Amino acid sequence: MGNYNNVRAIKQDGIEKKRAFLIGGGVASLAAAFYLVYDGHMDGKMITIIENLPVLGGSMDGSGDEKRGFLIRGGREMEEHYECSWDLFCHIPTIENPSRTVLEDLREVNRIDPNVAACRLMHKCGEKIERETLGLNGHHIMQLEKLILATEEELGATKIKEFFDESFFTTDMWYYWRSMFAFENWQSLVEMKRYMHRFIHHLPNLSRLRQILFSRYNQYESMILPLQKWLEEQGVNFHRNVQVTDMALDILPDSQTVIAIHLVKNGETTIVTTTKDDLIFFTCGSMTENSTLGNMSTPAGVNRGPGASWELWKKIATKGPSFGRPEVFCDHIDKTKWESFTITCTDSPMVDLLTKLTGRDPYSGKLVTGGIMTAVDSSWLLSVTCHRQPHFTNQPENAIVLWAYGLLPDNVGDHVKKKMEYCTGEELLRELLYHMGAGDLTEAIVASSTVIPCMMPYITSQFMPRIKGDRPEVVPKGSVNLAFLGQFVEIPGDCVFTVEYSVRSAMTGVYTLLNLDKQPPEVYPSQYDIRVIAKAIKSMHGESHVPGEGLIRYLLKDTSMAGLM
Ligand SMILES: Cc1cc2nc3c(=O)[nH]c(=O)nc-3n(C[C@H](O)[C@H](O)[C@H](O)COP(=O)(O)OP(=O)(O)OC[C@H]3O[C@@H](n4cnc5c(N)ncnc54)[C@H](O)[C@@H]3O)c2cc1C
């Protein structure tokens, strides 16, 4: 969608009579509520968002204070071509300065202080790896090219580890890739392929994370709260601490209509009757469902119990084949879990350690690590990041907040000989400090830190190998009033584990159910840009010549295309 088509949709007849029920209070539902008001011209009072938790924002959380310690289950790397997300946030004023939008603020922060990783990879207890190339050999490059040319149908449910040679998994490319995007070797090759296409323009920047964007504060404060405030001002209703346990559907041979929603609050069930005039949006599946927290002296453990979104999706999936197969994603906790931990350091020599590793002053208000630093020889495959400080608006001046995670939590640590789920916050920090080379600073850093561990059983469930039909369409064929949103729906060409995917699902759902003459923006087509392809191929070859490069240079010499190589 170029600017010509980016106009507000025309108001549809009968919109006044419609109600919308959004099950889930993550960014997917909040975005859908925005588009119902903005493009759908729906009165906010007719929209109800139903969330099982006491807070909105879902996976984009942020909480805490100096005393308890701060907590983010995750931090988001974003990029310029989150076309749907920036379409949304160019309309939402910031909390601090209502005359500026969230997009304007984010762009300004990143313009003044553009991201560059100071120490992307390290090993041997805090020794920086200085290489910038991807470390691929000719065979790895051929395999990557083969992956790009393959169709999703022929790859089916193939796992990444079944496609590449063993040696690929020790290349710098794979360390950059898996730690940045959080892929496990046993996960979906098709999703990795989608990432290759969708983010091909980032291939030359993997070692320095240039062009990656971060919000001013954590994304709960910088993105969710402003969006929530905008929706509140429109009169949108928020029902927190309410679980949707079932939906009744009228299933006919060629149509399905939701006719009732079952809500449970404080153990009491209410049934809301719906008609074809009502719209129901369900965020099916959640990567942060059943997260468990620990503290300095208590491990996070793992919650293997049922969760609101998976239970509801499983129930609905039994009612029609077009509603997907949730068990493909949620029934493999030991393949989908990993653990993160948020570290709050007050008057701490952590500042000295970070300055040593990055050459930057954590108190400068500018970027510190510049994205994640990954310890490639860590058994848990630990990564840690320290964003611009303060990371929370209520953070004291003498505190810094870091976020770390281990992609392989079932391995025993190198310094702390335990799996992550059994480690206290202190033990997680000690293992991290070992890999950061803290040495003599260790005890003083531990003494000045508060760590909140967070185990997420489903954090990479969206990457599990899948085939067509495992994920429902946003609006399944024949669905009269039900749309599926979030990370577990099928959207051709875009990539899961992104805010963008959830916002795109929201736009798609609203435009389709309301039958609006408007499409979401195209997924950024850098994969078809010959300049991007040329740069990507060059970066795959590192310092060696691309085959045929000399001939192409010769042929293009003194022509208008000379700059291509
Ligand atoms: C550690 C981590 C790192 C990440 N890194 C990045 C990144 O670098 N870049 C990026 O773009 N994105 C990243 N993401 C992903 C991004 O945050 C998510 O894709 C996005 O927030 C998902 O939003 P959602 O609304 O689709 O789902 P969720 O945020 O999961 O929200 C779903 C909500 O629905 C509620 N719910 C579900 N079922 C019911 C029910 N039956 N009744 C009541 N409530 C229900 C749940 O409680 C939940 O709050 C990361 C996420 C995490 C956790």
Side-chain angles (χ1 to χ4, degrees):
M1 177 172 69
N3 288 338
Y4 179 73
N5 287 311
N6 195 9
V7 293
R8 201 170 174 195
I10 288 175
K11 188 172 178 180
Q12 302 289 298
D13 288 344
I15 191 72
E16 296 81 7
K17 285 192 305 204
K18 289 187 182 294
R19 298 177 300 172
F21 298 94
L22 297 111
I23 304 166
V27 70
S29 278
L30 300 180
F34 170 83
Y35 286 107
L36 285 167
V37 173
Y38 182 75
D39 277 317
H41 301 269
M42 197 179 245
D43 184 343
K45 294 189 196 72
M46 303 298 272
I47 301 171
T48 303
I49 296 182
I50 306 158
E51 169 55 55
N52 190 34
L53 301 175
V55 283
L56 298 163
S59 303
M60 294 175 75
D61 64 323
S63 58
D65 52 42
E66 188 193 7
K67 201 156 159 249
R68 290 178 293 155
F70 292 94
L71 170 68
I72 35 172
R73 286 182 294 194
R76 268 133 289 265
E77 295 158 336
M78 297 174 287
E79 57 127 31
E80 203 176 316
H81 299 293
Y82 273 24
E83 305 296 338
C84 298
S85 308
W86 305 146
D87 182 88
L88 166 66
F89 285 105
C90 80
H91 296 287
I92 306 297
T94 62
I95 304 262
E96 298 83 30
N97 179 359
S99 69
R100 299 285 288 168
T101 67
V102 170
L103 176 61
E104 285 167 346
D105 187 56
L106 182 128
R107 188 175 176 280
E108 189 61 6
V109 172
N110 287 280
R111 187 187 67 75
I112 294 171
D113 187 25
N115 195 67
V116 187
C119 173
R120 180 65 188 85
L121 300 182
M122 56 187 172
H123 63 170
K124 298 179 186 165
C125 299
E127 201 179 291
K128 186 170 163 178
I129 297 178
E130 299 282 359
R131 296 185 293 268
E132 295 222 356
T133 57
L134 301 176
L136 301 171
N137 65 28
H139 186 60
H140 303 142
I141 296 170
M142 263 172 48
Q143 287 185 309
L144 286 167
E145 287 166 353
K146 193 171 153 204
L147 177 60
I148 286 185
L149 295 175
T151 63
E152 292 194 3
E153 288 68 30
E154 72 190 78
L155 297 176
T158 310
K159 301 179 180 83
I160 297 167
K161 67 177 183 185
E162 292 167 343
F163 184 81
F164 290 100
D165 284 0
E166 213 33 56
S167 60
F168 175 75
F169 298 107
T170 54
T171 60
D172 287 349
M173 153 97 189
W174 186 239
Y175 284 121
Y176 294 139
W177 188 273
R178 72 174 320 194
S179 54
M180 178 178 180
F181 299 126
F183 276 94
E184 305 282 12
N185 297 8
W186 52 84
Q187 292 181 328
S188 168
L189 182 65
V190 163
E191 195 57 36
M192 178 175 175
K193 173 182 165 63
R194 283 211 185 182
Y195 266 69
M196 289 291 298
H197 290 257
R198 170 73 178 78
F199 296 121
I200 192 165
H201 50 284
H202 288 292
L203 213 55
N205 294 319
L206 286 186
S207 63
R208 302 306 299 272
L209 297 175
R210 284 199 177 86
Q211 293 169 18
I212 297 298
L213 308 175
F214 296 103
S215 48
R216 187 180 290 277
Y217 302 111
N218 64 83
Q219 286 103 26
Y220 179 69
E221 290 189 273
S222 284
M223 297 170 83
I224 295 296
L225 283 184
L227 181 52
Q228 182 182 324
K229 180 166 181 273
W230 189 92
L231 295 172
E232 277 161 1
E233 284 164 5
Q234 310 305 312
V236 171
N237 307 291
F238 295 101
H239 291 188
R240 299 172 179 87
N241 296 308
V242 180
Q243 181 181 348
V244 178
T245 54
D246 204 358
M247 278 186 242
L249 283 126
D250 181 18
I251 309 255
L252 298 175
D254 53 0
S255 73
Q256 314 96 38
T257 310
V258 178
I259 51 172
I261 308 173
H262 298 222
L263 311 177
V264 176
K265 180 161 189 168
N266 299 330
E268 275 190 32
T269 305
T270 314
I271 297 179
V272 176
T273 307
T274 54
T275 72
K276 66 179 174 32
D277 271 336
D278 297 318
L279 310 174
I280 291 88
F281 297 85
F282 169 38
T283 305
C284 56
S286 171
M287 64 178 74
T288 47
E289 188 137 282
N290 287 349
S291 301
T292 44
L293 303 181
N295 59 35
M296 251 342 227
S297 53
T298 317
V302 184
N303 180 350
R304 293 174 186 274
S309 70
W310 301 114
E311 288 308 297
L312 180 58
W313 188 11
K314 278 184 173 175
K315 268 190 201 159
I316 293 169
T318 61
K319 302 182 190 201
S322 59
F323 298 150
R325 302 179 193 102
E327 64 282 359
V328 168
F329 306 101
C330 70
D331 281 1
H332 315 275
I333 287 178
D334 290 321
K335 292 198 169 97
T336 60
K337 70 173 187 293
W338 49 252
E339 186 160 349
S340 70
F341 47 109
T342 315
I343 311 159
T344 305
C345 306
T346 309
D347 290 324
S348 172
M350 177 63 100
V351 170
D352 306 308
L353 180 59
L354 284 171
T355 307
K356 185 178 136 213
L357 284 167
T358 64
R360 296 173 184 160
D361 172 10
Y363 286 139
S364 66
K366 296 200 148 198
L367 60 88
V368 186
T369 53
I372 48 172
M373 305 193 293
T374 300
V376 297
D377 52 357
S378 146
S379 300
W380 296 343
L381 197 57
L382 280 172
S383 295
V384 60
T385 176
C386 182
H387 292 299
R388 295 177 191 98
Q389 303 294 315
H391 195 50
F392 285 81
T393 52
N394 60 337
Q395 190 177 315
E397 274 180 12
N398 57 345
I400 56 169
V401 174
L402 293 84
W403 180 76
Y405 68 100
L407 267 182
L408 301 172
D410 281 343
N411 288 340
V412 166
D414 304 294
H415 175 66
V416 177
K417 304 285 180 194
K418 290 183 184 179
K419 293 180 177 190
M420 288 184 87
E421 68 181 272
Y422 302 119
C423 287
T424 62
E426 178 176 336
E427 288 167 329
L428 295 173
L429 178 60
R430 284 187 184 278
E431 177 78 7
L432 177 67
L433 292 173
Y434 168 79
H435 284 289
M436 291 171 80
D440 293 347
L441 298 178
T442 303
E443 295 311 319
I445 295 177
V446 171
S448 55
S449 301
T450 305
V451 180
I452 305 185
C454 175
M455 176 61 85
M456 295 171 281
Y458 305 104
I459 185 65
T460 59
S461 51
Q462 62 283 351
F463 282 167
M464 286 304 282
R466 57 165 197 269
I467 54 170
K468 198 169 163 39
D470 290 343
R471 309 195 289 193
E473 305 287 324
V474 174
V475 179
K477 195 158 177 284
S479 172
V480 172
N481 61 356
L482 173 64
F484 291 87
L485 305 183
Q487 299 291 305
F488 300 89
V489 299
E490 176 55 30
I491 303 177
D494 214 345
C495 293
V496 291
F497 215 163
T498 60
V499 175
E500 176 68 1
Y501 203 83
S502 292
V503 179
R504 183 173 292 280
S505 73
M507 275 179 136
T508 309
V510 170
Y511 296 171
T512 311
L513 282 187
L514 284 180
N515 203 15
L516 300 184
D517 178 24
K518 193 169 175 181
Q519 303 286 323
E522 183 185 14
V523 175
Y524 183 59
S526 58
Q527 56 172 315
Y528 304 117
D529 184 332
I530 191 160
R531 296 163 302 179
V532 172
I533 297 168
K535 276 192 191 157
I537 293 175
K538 262 208 87 61
S539 62
M540 283 203 273
H541 284 265
E543 270 136 33
S544 52
H545 272 283
V546 177
E549 187 180 343
L551 178 65
I552 299 171
R553 276 188 198 284
Y554 173 76
L555 292 174
L556 297 183
K557 190 166 178 272
D558 299 331
T559 73
S560 58
M561 298 291 276
L564 187 64
M565 294 302 286

